[in-house]
Every structure is written in structure tokens, then in C-alpha cells.
């Protein structure tokens, strides 16, 4: 078992994200933009060779932005809005060192790291509105798009504290560069102010699949 091996547990807390969003419309054309910032309080708890217990804590920051433009065409069965978008994400971790609680000599110091991911999207959004009955409106939404990611080198340099000059590189898993995006959702608006929403989002590529579902109930008065 190598010096850097062993059980590792990481904990993370995030400050509620600060997000600014705006959109403008001119007839069926629209432009939307958003900017977000999050601070992460992170800690690690690791056991290396011979039971050496190592911990660390540090703060990390992430900043992201997105701009999207599209044009909605009305059709007899609903709306079709071709769109293009560009977004960027920056995640920074500082230089930090592990605390060697048992004095085993396998503590590491990690170099600071700034990773970025820039994504372009090209696709279309779809919507359809149906009157279920005089007291309910159903809105169906969907999206199909192609995404391409430009990702920085996902490596991390680590140095042994007890052996200056003895370092190694940790290679992270990079996301795939091209993927298909698909979304489907439904929103039911009732006359009494109750709104029910459900949504599915998926990203599909040759070596990975990511999907998520959300449900929301909202009451307005």
C-alpha cells in the first residue's frame, strides 16, 4: 500500500450561493445571463500506511457565469425556440497541508489549483400549453441540445512534508468533451394558486451518463 493510499473521507459545507440573473426580450427573441459565486468549507480525514491519521481543512471558491440567446417560433402545436449558450465555471482551491495526528510521516502538502470548464450549447427548447379544465392549465416543456466542454488539465500536485522534493501527480477524471442534453418537464397550474412541477434532466455521452429529477409544489396567494 502506497503512502498516499488508505481510507479518505471528505466533508464539504457551502455558503448559500449568491446568484444574479437577468433576461431581456424583444418580441420572440430573448437574451438571458446569470452570474453565481459560492464559498466551500472543506475538510478531509485520511488514514495512510501503518494507520497514520491525517486531516486537513481549507476554503475553496467557485465562480460561474452563463449567457444564452434564442428566438421562439410559434407553431400550431406549441413553441420551438432554437438557442445558443456559453457558460464558464472556475473552481479554486488554495495550497494546504495535512495535519499528521499520529506522527507517521505521511502528511502531504497540496499545491493550489484553479480548474476551469467552459461549455458551449446549441439546441432548441420546446413548450406546449393545454387547458385541462376551466380551473387548470398544463404546460409541457422540453429541451434537446449538443454541448461541448473545454476543460483544463485535471491534475493535482502533492508533496510529502517529511521528504522535501518528493512529489507526485494525482490525475483526476475529466468529463467527456461532447454530450447530448435532454430535458422534459411538466407544470400544472391550478386556479386556487397551487402549482405542481416535475422535471427530468439528462446528459448522455459515450463514456458517461448523468441524470437528475426534481419535483416542486408551490402555493401562491
Amino acid at each position: 500500500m502506497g503512502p498516499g493510499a488508505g481510507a479518505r473521507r471528505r466533508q464539504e459545507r457551502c455558503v448559500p450561493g449568491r446568484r444574479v440573473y437577468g433576461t431581456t426580450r424583444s418580441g420572440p427573441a430573448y437574451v438571458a445571463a446569470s452570474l453565481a459565486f459560492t464559498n466551500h468549507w472543506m475538510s478531509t480525514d485520511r488514514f495512510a500506511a501503518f494507520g497514520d491519521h491525517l486531516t486537513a481543512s481549507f476554503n475553496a471558491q467557485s465562480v460561474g457565469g452563463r449567457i444564452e440567446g434564442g428566438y421562439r417560433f410559434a407553431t400550431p402545436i406549441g413553441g420551438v425556440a432554437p438557442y445558443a449558450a456559453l457558460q464558464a465555471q472556475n473552481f479554486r482551491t488554495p495550497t494546504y497541508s495535512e495535519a499528521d495526528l499520529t506522527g507517521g510521516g505521511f502528511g502531504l502538502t497540496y499545491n493550489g489549483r484553479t480548474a476551469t470548464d467552459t461549455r458551449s450549447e446549441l439546441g432548441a427548447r420546446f413548450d406546449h400549453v393545454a387547458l385541462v379544465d376551466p380551473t387548470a392549465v398544463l404546460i409541457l416543456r422540453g429541451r434537446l441540445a449538443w454541448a461541448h466542454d473545454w476543460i483544463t488539465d485535471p491534475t493535482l500536485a502533492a508533496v510529502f512534508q517529511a521528504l522535501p522534493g518528493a512529489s507526485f501527480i494525482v490525475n483526476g477524471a475529466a468529463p467527456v468533451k461532447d454530450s447530448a442534453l435532454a430535458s422534459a418537464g411538466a407544470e400544472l397550474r391550478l386556479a386556487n394558486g397551487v402549482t405542481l412541477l416535475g422535471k427530468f434532466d439528462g446528459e448522455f455521452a459515450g463514456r458517461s451518463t448523468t441524470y437528475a429529477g426534481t419535483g416542486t409544489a408551490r402555493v401562491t396567494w
Side-chain angles (χ1 to χ4, degrees):
M1 179 180 291
R8 184 184 185 92
R9 183 175 71 248
R10 188 182 79 174
Q11 296 180 343
E12 177 180 339
R13 293 188 298 114
C14 301
V15 69
R18 300 295 186 264
R19 185 168 183 260
V20 179
Y21 174 83
T23 183
T24 181
R25 297 181 180 274
S26 178
Y30 73 93
V31 175
S34 63
L35 180 67
F37 170 82
T38 303
N39 192 76
H40 306 260
W41 289 275
M42 309 181 74
S43 63
T44 64
D45 193 332
R46 182 170 70 93
F47 289 89
F50 310 111
D52 195 10
H53 190 187
L54 306 157
T55 64
S57 61
F58 56 95
N59 294 342
Q61 295 79 36
S62 61
V63 179
R66 177 183 175 94
I67 184 168
E68 177 182 323
Y71 191 97
R72 183 180 183 277
F73 297 91
T75 73
I77 61 173
V80 179
Y83 80 94
L86 183 68
Q87 68 183 49
Q89 185 79 21
N90 178 285
F91 184 76
R92 177 187 175 276
T93 56
T95 299
Y96 69 95
S97 299
E98 292 178 312
D100 194 341
L101 302 182
T102 52
F106 292 114
L108 297 173
T109 294
Y110 295 88
N111 288 345
R113 180 69 174 159
T114 299
T116 61
D117 181 359
T118 303
R119 164 176 284 196
S120 63
E121 291 181 21
L122 187 63
R125 300 183 185 277
F126 310 91
D127 64 83
H128 174 76
V129 180
L131 185 64
V132 178
D133 61 47
T135 63
V137 174
L138 178 65
I139 304 172
L140 302 177
R141 297 187 178 92
R143 177 185 63 154
L144 291 174
W146 164 71
H148 181 80
D149 288 80
W150 292 270
I151 306 158
T152 58
D153 183 16
T155 61
L156 182 66
V159 179
F160 284 99
Q161 298 171 20
L163 296 171
S167 62
F168 59 93
I169 299 295
V170 179
N171 291 301
V176 295
K177 292 185 177 181
D178 295 284
S179 56
L181 310 181
S183 300
E187 178 179 348
L188 182 62
R189 297 180 180 177
L190 305 178
N192 60 4
V194 175
T195 302
L196 304 176
L197 304 96
K199 185 181 180 184
F200 167 84
D201 292 290
E203 295 190 16
F204 307 93
R207 302 193 312 273
S208 69
T209 299
T210 304
Y211 51 88
T214 59
T216 304
R218 184 169 60 224
V219 180
T220 57
W221 62 89

